[in-house]
Amino acid sequence: MEHAKLYERLAERLSKLEKFPRIKEDKSIATLMEEHGISRRDFMKWAAGVTAMLSLPSSFTPLMAQAAELTDRLPVVWLHMAECTGCSESLLRTDAPTIDSVIFDYISLEYHETIMAAAGWQAEHNLESAIAKYKGKFILMVEGGIPAGATENYLTVGPHGQTGFASAKKAADAAAAIFAIGTCSSFGGVQAAYPNPSNAQALSKVTSKPVINVPGCPPSEKNIIGQVLHYILFGTLPALDAYNRPKWAYGLRIHDLCERRGHFDAGEFVQEFGDAGAKKGFCLYKVGCKGPYTFNNCSRERFNQHTSWPVQAGHGCIGCSEPDFWDNMGPFEEPLGNRLYHTVYGEGADKTADKVGVTLLAATAVGIAAHAAIAAIKGSGKTEE
Amino acid sequence: MKITKEIIERIEGEATLELQWHEGVIDFAKIKFFNFRGIEKILEKRVLYDAIAITPRVCGICSHSHALASVLAIESCFKNAGDVLHISQKAQDIREIILNAEKIQNHIKWYFFTIFSELQKLSNTPFEGNAFKDKAWFHAQKAIVESLKMGAIFSGQWPHGSFALPGGVTCDPVRSDFIMAQNTLEGIVAFCEEYLYGMPLEEFLSFSSALQVMSSVRRLSYGIETMIELGFDRIGRSHDRFLALGDSFLYEEPSKAVKTTVLSADSKHVHESLEHTFFSDTHKGYTYSKSAQYRKNYFEVGPLARMMIGKDVLIRDFHRRFKDATLTRVVARMSECAHLLLRTRELLSHCDITMPSFIPPKANPHDLCGEGIGIIEASRGSLIHKVNVLYGHIHSYDIITPTVWNLGNGDKENPSVAQKAIMGLDSIEKADFVFKSFDVCSVCTTQ
Ligand code: SF4
């Protein structure tokens, strides 16, 4: 029943959106798909995938397809701040390069240039014209941390040397919806790690409007595209967690759906990289996996066309979609509960566990460490050579 | 004297060229990068191994090169402390496969998205319509995506995989992983043969003369023809000095070359300078990018340097005809791409999966003291990581990226590699293209 109502509401929203003019009058997304030889069948398959990812029932697939075709009503402006460009490069990991890039190319006005991370004049020019033409209607996506205060000029863009801070603020003021793409833009990221030399800040510190965070270093390309479609479909903020992350993507921990989870529960751990347990694909907790403290869907969605993800490649999760993970989750090859020495932030094991606890997880952190310890005594001793 | 300011677009990040003109000719160029994050500073006092996770974030385009450079730097710390790590041939092969995947995608991306479309803009003989809108663009994108996938089979993801540690690699691939990687690679090879070279890789790699490359009407030969038409066979020349400090299958040992004379080189002669940066002088400085020199001279790094040092016959033929002009630089990169494809094919088929992936160091990294240096030949050239470690913590960390070699700032009397290539040109369009022929990336130039 509830689903039927939701379906109706979304269908209504889409039919309203359909009345909006297209970004480019002469071409629709649908004709472009056709031109690029994307069959209806492939397209529907793709739509079904996105529907499942957003945790919607499969009966919503036609709506998703329609939403994708209506992306041509909503322009996206992509801004680059202090960053490594890894977030936009992340889009190159997509399963369906043709479909995704047809959509992105169309809606982000100059996507082909964006993938080459063209900031500067082009971005400023796009921004100016987008603001003039689509004020209050465009989706703003920002990649990178934003130097603020006395070090604001550690990042300037464009011919007038405008600071990153000023241009992000200007864009945010005129946007309909604001997405922070990647951990840098969501929480400050690597440049905001201690001692934060450039005083890099999260996008949410630059504007008073609500910012949807899509963190990850880099973020999953699926989460980026999913969030765009979610917005088109719903027109509202998605259900968010305490850090403004959409719950459809960041609702579960890496650990919850991890392929090595069975080994964790059985107390079978890799004790040292390269040991027999590593060959057998045992759990990586004891060599530093932060999956139990990290909310994201990597274990389910993986990367680079579903090929792999860090845990599959034998290294633990480093917690890259959590706030301040650079300062809280290291050392990355040691479990949190097992910290051996004082670090740059001058804390020992317990304090750090507390700090992670602040990020929702005190009980989990202690519990996990205890489980690992007990399970190790109970079980894994036997299996090690 | 007239001074103009040019923002360079469609590169990784943003750069500004400040051009000083004299009688219609560029007299001097200042290369400016206006972003700074302070990664080296952030690394200080952290646990040594954190560098392996943090340094890839210097650059999302060559993140795996950074990961590997930091691993090599730490391995050299172990060695200097008396623990010589044995890295199995398998682990070395996997590292190289991952690195090659990153370079292959970079080279394809650079040619199809930057060089090719720039040439389209500059020339009046368009190639089968619009470079960006024609289907080849989508095929190129697919090849890039596939290339990244091939690497990710071993690295877990791209960019920013955590796959290597001092002692080897963390993955333990099985036969079927290699088969998947081989199939993926063959798809990329097919794309390159069809759209880029217009002939089988082996045939292309057997060439010894520039004229042979021109014989097939594909995007590479179109690019060469257009560059000749536009005069890029005569301009964009720099010092004709080359440097490759990291290891590569293309040559025997790290070397330098002055013109065609190749001599062995040692990283101890590398000198990094803060001149012209905001760090050395907040008022007179004009960029956040450092510069690097070898024995007080500017040297070009990157594919052209590697091919010259490797005495590649084809590139030497281009060099004989055109010296280190823009044309030679572009062809060198695309020719390296062919070598990389073939080399990766070999690695994938010969890798012995029965070997261990990882052999842990004997010494405890938390007790480690001393210095280490790691050098990787990344897409854009020699990438150097230097670390000074004190009881397992980073005391200082120094990163010299390839773009710092090519795109630093000297002065009029002793200009940097890119400055020298730009000086003497008579139009902004030419300067823009010559500049881009170095495959510019601003994020890693400044970090
Ligand atoms: S600790 Fe890490 S490797 Fe182990 S089950 Fe959890 S997420 Fe997977």
Side-chain angles (χ1 to χ4, degrees), chain A residues 254-255 258 260-261 264 283-285 289 291-292 311:
Chain A
I254 299 288
H255 188 59
C258 176
R260 299 186 186 227
R261 179 58 188 268
F264 177 88
C283 167
L284 298 163
Y285 177 78
C289 181
V311 165

Short mmCIF file of all heavy atoms in Angstrom, two decimals, chain A residues 254-255 258 260-261 264 283-285 289 291-292 311, ligand 1:
data_model
loop_
_atom_site.label_atom_id
_atom_site.label_comp_id
_atom_site.label_asym_id
_atom_site.label_seq_id
_atom_site.Cartn_x
_atom_site.Cartn_y
_atom_site.Cartn_z
N ILE A 254 30.39 -1.32 6.46
CA ILE A 254 31.15 -2.18 5.54
C ILE A 254 31.12 -3.62 6.06
O ILE A 254 30.92 -4.58 5.33
CB ILE A 254 32.62 -1.71 5.49
CG1 ILE A 254 32.75 -0.29 5.00
CG2 ILE A 254 33.47 -2.67 4.66
CD1 ILE A 254 32.50 -0.07 3.57
N HIS A 255 31.33 -3.72 7.34
CA HIS A 255 31.40 -5.00 8.05
C HIS A 255 30.12 -5.83 7.89
O HIS A 255 30.18 -7.06 7.85
CB HIS A 255 31.63 -4.63 9.52
CG HIS A 255 31.92 -5.76 10.44
ND1 HIS A 255 32.98 -6.60 10.27
CD2 HIS A 255 31.28 -6.16 11.57
CE1 HIS A 255 32.99 -7.48 11.27
NE2 HIS A 255 31.97 -7.24 12.07
N CYS A 258 30.20 -7.66 4.52
CA CYS A 258 31.53 -8.02 4.01
C CYS A 258 31.62 -9.50 3.67
O CYS A 258 31.11 -10.35 4.39
CB CYS A 258 32.59 -7.67 5.04
SG CYS A 258 34.24 -8.17 4.55
N ARG A 260 34.12 -11.31 3.95
CA ARG A 260 34.96 -12.02 4.92
C ARG A 260 34.28 -12.14 6.28
O ARG A 260 34.87 -12.61 7.26
CB ARG A 260 36.31 -11.30 5.07
CG ARG A 260 37.09 -11.26 3.77
CD ARG A 260 38.48 -10.67 3.94
NE ARG A 260 39.11 -10.54 2.63
CZ ARG A 260 40.35 -10.92 2.34
NH1 ARG A 260 41.12 -11.46 3.28
NH2 ARG A 260 40.83 -10.76 1.13
N ARG A 261 33.03 -11.70 6.36
CA ARG A 261 32.34 -11.64 7.64
C ARG A 261 32.22 -13.01 8.32
O ARG A 261 32.33 -13.13 9.53
CB ARG A 261 30.95 -11.02 7.44
CG ARG A 261 30.11 -10.91 8.69
CD ARG A 261 30.83 -10.08 9.76
NE ARG A 261 30.09 -10.14 11.01
CZ ARG A 261 29.17 -9.27 11.37
NH1 ARG A 261 28.91 -8.23 10.59
NH2 ARG A 261 28.53 -9.39 12.50
N PHE A 264 35.17 -13.58 10.25
CA PHE A 264 35.18 -12.77 11.47
C PHE A 264 34.38 -13.49 12.56
O PHE A 264 34.85 -13.66 13.69
CB PHE A 264 34.55 -11.41 11.19
CG PHE A 264 34.44 -10.53 12.42
CD1 PHE A 264 35.48 -9.69 12.80
CD2 PHE A 264 33.28 -10.53 13.20
CE1 PHE A 264 35.39 -8.89 13.92
CE2 PHE A 264 33.18 -9.73 14.33
CZ PHE A 264 34.23 -8.91 14.70
N CYS A 283 39.39 -12.89 7.84
CA CYS A 283 39.02 -11.51 8.18
C CYS A 283 40.26 -10.65 8.46
O CYS A 283 41.24 -11.11 9.03
CB CYS A 283 38.12 -11.54 9.40
SG CYS A 283 37.90 -9.92 10.13
N LEU A 284 40.18 -9.37 8.06
CA LEU A 284 41.33 -8.48 8.12
C LEU A 284 41.33 -7.57 9.36
O LEU A 284 42.12 -6.65 9.45
CB LEU A 284 41.38 -7.63 6.85
CG LEU A 284 41.56 -8.44 5.56
CD1 LEU A 284 41.18 -7.61 4.34
CD2 LEU A 284 43.00 -8.93 5.44
N TYR A 285 40.42 -7.85 10.27
CA TYR A 285 40.30 -6.96 11.44
C TYR A 285 41.63 -6.74 12.15
O TYR A 285 42.00 -5.62 12.50
CB TYR A 285 39.26 -7.54 12.43
CG TYR A 285 39.18 -6.68 13.67
CD1 TYR A 285 38.47 -5.49 13.66
CD2 TYR A 285 39.86 -7.05 14.84
CE1 TYR A 285 38.42 -4.68 14.78
CE2 TYR A 285 39.82 -6.24 15.96
CZ TYR A 285 39.10 -5.06 15.92
OH TYR A 285 39.07 -4.26 17.02
N CYS A 289 41.59 -3.63 9.65
CA CYS A 289 40.36 -3.28 8.93
C CYS A 289 39.43 -2.42 9.79
O CYS A 289 39.15 -2.74 10.94
CB CYS A 289 39.62 -4.54 8.48
SG CYS A 289 38.13 -4.11 7.56
N GLY A 291 36.36 -1.69 8.78
CA GLY A 291 35.01 -1.97 8.30
C GLY A 291 33.95 -1.91 9.37
O GLY A 291 32.83 -1.44 9.13
N PRO A 292 34.25 -2.35 10.59
CA PRO A 292 33.22 -2.32 11.63
C PRO A 292 32.82 -0.91 12.07
O PRO A 292 31.81 -0.74 12.74
CB PRO A 292 33.88 -3.06 12.80
CG PRO A 292 34.91 -3.93 12.18
CD PRO A 292 35.41 -3.15 11.01
N VAL A 311 38.98 -4.63 0.49
CA VAL A 311 39.01 -5.82 1.32
C VAL A 311 39.20 -7.08 0.47
O VAL A 311 39.91 -8.01 0.84
CB VAL A 311 37.73 -5.90 2.19
CG1 VAL A 311 37.56 -7.29 2.79
CG2 VAL A 311 37.78 -4.85 3.29
S1 SF4 C 1 36.58 -6.60 9.98
FE1 SF4 C 1 36.81 -5.95 7.85
S2 SF4 C 1 37.50 -7.80 6.73
FE2 SF4 C 1 36.67 -8.46 8.71
S3 SF4 C 1 34.55 -8.92 8.25
FE3 SF4 C 1 34.59 -6.83 9.00
S4 SF4 C 1 34.74 -5.55 7.18
FE4 SF4 C 1 35.26 -7.65 6.56
#
